Amino acid sequence: MESMVEENGSTVDPLSQGSQSGDAAPAIATSVQSLSRSQHHLVASTSIVQLTLPLSGTTQVQSVIQPNQQSVIQTATNIQPVALSKANVILVSKPNSVIQTTQGSLQTLQVVETGSDDSFSDEESPKKRRDILTRRPSYRKILNDLGGEGRLPPLESSSECDSNVDSEVSSHSLHYQTAYTGHGVVVEDAARKRELRLLKNREAARECRRKKKEYIKCLENRVAVLENRNQTLIDELKSLKELYQQKTD
DNA sequence: CCGATAGTTCGTCAACGGTG
DNA sequence: CACCGTTGACGAACTATCGG
């Protein structure tokens, strides 16, 4: 896949970035684990573009521009929200980056060094740490959240599939009721409960995989949008640079 | 055509979180 | 706490591709 390229030549791969930083950024990013056995820790940004800007030392800053919301500046190890109004252009000068808007107002980017990639404090419980690292909202929730931004439709309630399950299960249940007489009722009951559970889980797995595919499609669409937007911004940056160069000459 | 290999799909289990 | 839904992991079955 083509990487996100920025002024200073650094590249950002929107699908691998989060695994490098190793932190959780719920405000702007959602991690996906094990989309396939050879594709671990795919990370999707909910932003339109991300620019990686090397600053002093090892600190990196991701500039996240969202079309319908305030933009966010995030370091690789910690979230650093900076308000940027929509449609502003980010001009980056290194090493002490300054966020500059086209309206002329300057917003100095304050970078907080955290010292290590491990953004978890000692006070956080192992369980919480593990949850942050490994737990992920369901595909339904992720897609509904994305849909809430107004760019993606909410995930359908899959009522068709649910109703299919219900009808199939209920028909089995009816069948079970007729078998609850005579000896070995307990054993038979357990066996039928297991059968029912397997049936439900089978359907649940199908539904889960369907949602997963849908989610991946959304991510792929988003990548395409991000790449387009990235190119637009690169072009815009280039023209602004040329304009600036003409003025200073 | 046939066997080997890789990739995909499906069912199942287990772990976890949410809910009543 | 029991129950249920969700989803990662695993193995088996199936499918596609390729070289001999």
Side-chain angles (χ1 to χ4, degrees):
Chain A
M1 182 203 320
E2 201 175 327
S3 298
M4 301 286 187
V5 182
E6 206 11 61
E7 177 187 26
N8 50 32
S10 64
T11 61
V12 178
D13 181 348
L15 294 187
S16 63
Q17 205 173 46
S19 61
Q20 289 177 348
S21 61
D23 62 350
I28 64 161
T30 309
S31 68
V32 183
Q33 297 171 355
S34 304
L35 287 177
S36 72
R37 283 173 206 181
S38 59
Q39 191 179 16
H40 296 286
H41 281 306
L42 179 65
V43 168
S45 167
T46 61
S47 62
I48 285 301
V49 67
Q50 295 191 356
L51 312 171
T52 295
L53 317 166
L55 297 173
S56 58
T58 59
T59 303
Q60 288 191 324
V61 171
Q62 297 168 3
S63 303
V64 181
I65 301 175
Q66 300 176 328
N68 302 321
Q69 306 173 25
Q70 284 188 326
S71 299
V72 174
I73 304 301
Q74 181 193 19
T75 70
T77 55
N78 208 349
I79 298 171
Q80 298 292 327
V82 173
L84 277 179
S85 61
K86 164 179 167 184
N88 286 342
V89 174
I90 297 184
L91 301 177
V92 178
S93 63
K94 50 187 178 179
N96 298 313
S97 300
V98 172
I99 304 300
Q100 183 177 20
T101 72
T102 51
Q103 279 83 15
S105 63
L106 292 176
Q107 298 181 339
T108 301
L109 178 62
Q110 183 180 10
V111 178
V112 179
E113 295 279 359
T114 57
S116 90
D117 279 346
D118 187 353
S119 62
F120 300 104
S121 66
D122 290 340
E123 298 86 54
E124 275 175 317
S125 68
K127 180 175 170 55
K128 189 177 177 186
R129 288 172 66 115
R130 191 189 58 192
D131 283 352
I132 292 170
L133 286 170
T134 64
R135 298 296 298 179
R136 180 184 52 71
S138 70
Y139 299 119
R140 183 190 299 269
K141 184 175 188 328
I142 291 169
L143 282 180
N144 283 341
D145 286 349
L146 293 179
E149 290 178 15
R151 288 196 301 276
L152 288 171
L155 184 62
E156 72 217 29
S157 62
S158 66
S159 55
E160 276 186 39
C161 195
D162 289 344
S163 63
N164 286 343
V165 174
D166 287 347
S167 61
E168 198 176 350
V169 167
S170 61
S171 67
H172 278 253
S173 300
L174 286 174
H175 175 64
Y176 297 158
Q177 287 175 2
T178 64
Y180 282 131
T181 56
H183 299 295
V185 166
V186 175
V187 174
E188 199 162 345
D189 185 40
R192 291 183 187 283
K193 274 185 178 173
R194 171 182 156 78
E195 204 177 321
L196 188 62
R197 182 168 49 81
L198 290 181
L199 175 69
K200 278 185 160 184
N201 189 244
R202 204 178 301 140
E203 293 294 333
R206 278 192 207 129
E207 178 66 4
C208 182
R209 284 166 181 146
R210 189 191 64 78
K211 283 186 291 184
K212 193 177 194 173
K213 280 183 181 175
E214 190 177 341
Y215 176 61
I216 290 170
K217 269 187 187 173
C218 284
L219 291 185
E220 288 168 349
N221 290 340
R222 189 170 291 269
V223 166
V225 170
L226 289 173
E227 285 175 343
N228 280 338
R229 176 72 170 154
N230 191 50
Q231 189 56 52
T232 302
L233 287 170
I234 288 171
D235 295 344
E236 198 174 342
L237 178 63
K238 194 189 282 183
S239 62
L240 285 172
K241 273 183 173 176
E242 288 171 3
L243 199 64
Y244 179 75
Q245 192 66 38
Q246 289 171 6
K247 282 198 172 185
T248 54
D249 285 346

